[in-house]
Amino acid sequence: MKNDLRYALRVLLKNPGFSSVAVLTLALGIGATAIVFSIVNGVLLQPLGYPDSDRIVYIWEGDNQDGFTRNYQNQTSPQNFLDWREKNQVFEAIAGYANFKESVTRNFVYTSGDLPYRLNGRFVTTNYFKVFGQKPLIGRAFTPREEARGSARVAVISHQLWSGIFNKEPQIIGKTMNLENAGRHTYEIIGVMPEGFRHPNTDVWVSIAHAPAFRGWTKGAQLMNQRGGTVMRAVGKLKKGVSRERAMGEMNAIQAGIFEEHKGNELKGDSWEIGPNIDLQPILDSVVSRVRASLILFSGAVGLLLLIACANVANLLLSRALARQREMSSRASQGASRWHLIRQLLTESAVLSLIAGLAGSALAWWGTKLVLQFSAGAIPRAGEVTMDWRVLAFTLAVSLLTGTLFGLAPALQSSRTNLSDALREGA
């Protein structure tokens, strides 16, 4: 094998023009494939950065006839949410947050001195962080009593907000901040979440006990007392060993009882009614659903590009094989078997593809950054896309596979030697 490798390197170095064209052609195909795989791996294949994220699901309410389009009309009402949380036996925890369509709950204004800052805020149930298996980096999370009406106004902030506006102030716990959202109120900061956790794209979380009533109800009413109006988004963590199908069966039974008891309750002038069915959507699917089909289609297109590159290199090798017929005949006349000739030619192809793989990896490292830079905001989980060991292992596997693909046919062709013809030509 060492002799085969040495000979392969000598042959490639003696033909720099051919070797350069072949390596460049393959490197482009392998590099493009590695770029796409690094994105697919980071976006579609890797689990979210929460403990047991495969057990976290969104809970949608609606009618099977609408296909669960998973928009604001397929969320739920606060009272329905409380029924789910109380009656279910399949979830480790169910949490929710106010998600008004007109974004009332998301626009918080924090004022420091004379400078106002617009923040993404959420009114959440007090067990919200439990669903995601997250604990504050410093301070504490909400307690169950802070979900009751009239409880103290407290807030948990993101690591990004703490690092930015508050400049990582060590004594941040116990400090107050004035937040304006359907009124100006003072909140005590009780915790800072770990770096990287902002679900769903949030700077500050406050208890849902202080969420404003949805439009159409009596001013000042507590949001959690309302039934009807799909203004809450629910997320739950399944118990260990509970399948999604089993959970859907139980939740649909609970929802059927709620529907029979309250069907026809409309939200003053709106057409939103209580939905009779429940659908559970894995949280990863909710994050990547809008790009999954595009990435799969793009992967197929890049795979075809790699096959075209392999075909082009195979054509180059077949053309070169004609010029090497005399060499193969000479080696056969000296006792080389057909298998030895095939092995030698495949070794040359493998060396060529591995060199192209190294060049393709360098191209992918640079190209992945470029793609993410120009597609900022269009690709979810873009921050988790990296050239890790999985991508490198994939690139190595692709390199070896392409070496076999484009090298096999030329190797078989070149190894068919005819000694009598070679001698007749004066070889």
Side-chain angles (χ1 to χ4, degrees):
M1 181 60 82
K2 287 183 180 180
N3 292 333
D4 289 340
L5 286 173
R6 290 195 195 97
Y7 187 75
L9 288 171
R10 283 202 304 269
V11 168
L12 294 176
L13 290 174
K14 285 176 63 176
N15 298 273
F18 163 80
S19 301
S20 299
V21 172
V23 166
L24 180 60
T25 302
L26 284 174
L28 290 173
I30 292 173
T33 305
I35 290 172
V36 174
F37 179 76
S38 66
I39 295 174
V40 170
N41 178 59
V43 175
L44 301 183
L45 303 182
Q46 294 303 306
L48 295 172
Y50 313 128
D52 302 312
S53 62
D54 58 315
R55 295 195 280 130
I56 302 176
V57 295
Y58 278 117
I59 308 171
W60 298 96
E61 170 188 312
D63 189 329
N64 278 336
Q65 293 181 354
D66 68 12
F68 284 104
T69 50
R70 294 168 182 153
N71 56 25
Y72 285 91
Q73 294 189 19
N74 291 123
Q75 295 176 160
T76 191
S77 72
Q79 284 290 302
N80 286 2
F81 166 81
L82 292 177
D83 284 345
W84 295 349
R85 193 167 68 175
E86 178 185 351
K87 297 177 181 179
N88 90 87
Q89 299 294 321
V90 291
F91 284 97
E92 194 175 287
I94 294 181
Y97 57 91
N99 203 38
F100 295 169
K101 186 174 182 179
E102 53 267 40
S103 302
V104 170
T105 57
R106 293 198 292 273
N107 295 325
F108 281 62
V109 177
Y110 165 65
T111 304
S112 176
D114 295 328
L115 294 176
Y117 297 91
R118 186 173 296 278
L119 306 178
N120 287 326
R122 295 285 180 176
F123 291 99
V124 300
T125 57
T126 54
N127 65 338
Y128 185 77
F129 303 117
K130 180 180 179 181
V131 169
F132 297 95
Q134 300 293 313
K135 295 181 179 180
L137 180 67
I138 56 175
R140 65 174 179 87
F142 302 111
T143 61
R145 66 176 181 274
E146 286 166 340
E147 197 172 300
R149 188 175 185 182
S151 59
R153 292 183 182 271
V154 292
V156 177
I157 64 174
S158 69
H159 190 280
Q160 180 174 319
L161 178 59
W162 179 53
S163 302
I165 295 176
F166 293 105
N167 198 27
K168 289 191 175 180
E169 184 180 342
Q171 306 301 323
I172 189 67
I173 304 302
K175 299 285 186 181
T176 59
M177 59 189 304
N178 294 321
L179 296 174
E180 188 171 344
N181 176 277
R184 186 183 179 111
H185 303 284
T186 300
Y187 291 83
E188 178 187 350
I189 299 173
I190 61 171
V192 177
M193 295 307 294
E195 186 174 4
F197 181 80
R198 293 189 64 208
H199 188 275
N201 191 31
T202 302
D203 299 307
V204 56
W205 297 267
V206 298
S207 172
I208 204 164
H210 306 294
F214 185 64
R215 58 182 173 83
W217 274 291
T218 305
K219 183 177 180 180
Q222 187 188 18
L223 179 73
M224 298 304 287
N225 291 336
Q226 299 163 357
R227 170 113 43 197
T230 52
V231 297
M232 277 193 72
R233 192 164 183 177
V235 59
K237 187 171 190 177
L238 296 169
K239 292 180 178 178
K240 289 182 179 179
V242 174
S243 67
R244 180 166 161 261
E245 291 71 24
R246 175 188 163 190
M248 284 182 63
E250 178 174 305
M251 292 300 293
N252 272 289
I254 294 173
Q255 188 66 12
I258 296 173
F259 178 76
E260 287 300 317
E261 184 178 354
H262 301 285
K263 64 181 178 181
N265 293 349
E266 296 188 359
L267 173 62
K268 295 187 178 180
D270 281 315
S271 59
W272 293 347
E273 295 183 354
I274 296 173
N277 301 109
I278 294 294
D279 185 37
L280 303 182
Q281 180 190 25
I283 189 171
L284 177 60
D285 183 59
S286 73
V287 173
V288 304
S289 58
R290 65 183 176 86
V291 299
R292 187 191 299 274
S294 299
L295 286 177
I296 292 174
L297 183 63
F298 195 42
S299 300
V302 172
L304 288 176
L305 174 65
L306 180 60
L307 288 177
I308 292 172
C310 290
N312 288 333
V313 174
N315 283 330
L316 288 173
L317 288 174
L318 283 170
S319 300
R320 188 161 167 266
L322 296 175
R324 299 183 68 182
Q325 281 294 330
R326 184 173 297 177
E327 174 196 341
M328 295 297 109
S329 298
S330 175
R331 297 183 68 183
S333 68
Q334 296 177 48
S337 66
R338 189 183 183 196
W339 160 242
H340 182 81
L341 297 178
I342 291 175
R343 188 183 69 185
Q344 176 60 51
L345 292 169
L346 285 179
T347 301
E348 293 176 20
S349 300
V351 170
L352 196 66
S353 63
L354 286 175
I355 295 172
L358 291 174
S361 297
L363 176 66
W365 181 82
W366 173 80
T368 301
K369 291 185 176 182
L370 191 65
V371 169
L372 295 177
Q373 180 180 346
F374 280 96
S375 60
I379 300 179
R381 307 184 66 192
E384 300 175 46
V385 176
T386 59
M387 285 286 293
D388 60 9
W389 67 269
R390 298 177 186 85
V391 179
L392 294 176
F394 174 80
T395 305
L396 175 62
V398 168
S399 301
L400 294 174
L401 178 62
T402 53
T404 304
L405 282 176
F406 70 72
L408 187 58
L412 292 174
Q413 176 66 30
S414 298
S415 64
R416 291 195 186 100
T417 58
N418 190 318
L419 294 181
S420 61
D421 288 345
L423 292 172
R424 195 177 299 119
E425 293 173 5

